[in-house]
Amino acid sequence: MNTHRKDMPTQIAHPWKATVRTAVTTIVSAAVLFVVAQPIIEEQLGAYLPDAWAAWYAAAAGFLTALGAALTRIMALEQAQRVLALVGLGTGIERETDSASPDA
C-alpha cells in the first residue's frame, strides 16, 4: 500500500484514484459529446448509417475510457515516471529531491 509523502505526487501515492478520476472525466466528456453530437449525426448522416451505429459509437466511447484509464494507471508506475522525466514530462518532484541531495 502506498503512503502519501509530501514529496510524492498524488498520482504515484494513490494511482487508483488517479485512474478513476481519468475514467470519470473521459466518460463524462464522451457522454456530453454523445448527447450533443448524436442528434446532429443522425440528422446529417442518418440515411447512410446502419441502425446499430449508436451502439458502435457508445462502444467506442467505452473503449476510449478504458484505454485512457489504463494508460493513466501505467503512467503512475515508478518506472514510467522515470521515462516521463527523461522526455520532460515528469512530475518535477525528482528534480527537487535531486537538487536537495548532497551529491548535486
Side-chain angles (χ1 to χ4, degrees), residues 2-15 18 21 76 81 90-94:
N2 289 334
T3 58
H4 184 69
R5 299 183 335 235
K6 279 186 173 184
D7 64 338
M8 183 182 294
T10 57
Q11 293 88 344
I12 295 172
H14 308 288
R21 283 194 304 266
Q81 288 298 314
T91 61
I93 299 298
E94 62 279 349

Side-chain angles (χ1 to χ4, degrees), residues 41-97:
I41 293 170
E42 197 168 300
E43 179 182 327
Q44 297 296 318
L45 301 172
Y48 305 104
L49 295 172
D51 292 338
W53 79 271
W56 284 100
Y57 190 62
F63 173 77
L64 290 175
T65 299
L67 181 63
L71 289 174
T72 297
R73 179 63 183 100
I74 291 168
M75 290 177 70
L77 297 172
E78 187 177 336
Q79 298 89 341
Q81 288 298 314
R82 281 190 237 127
V83 172
L84 290 170
L86 289 174
V87 297
L89 296 174
T91 61
I93 299 298
E94 62 279 349
R95 286 188 211 115
E96 292 174 16
T97 56

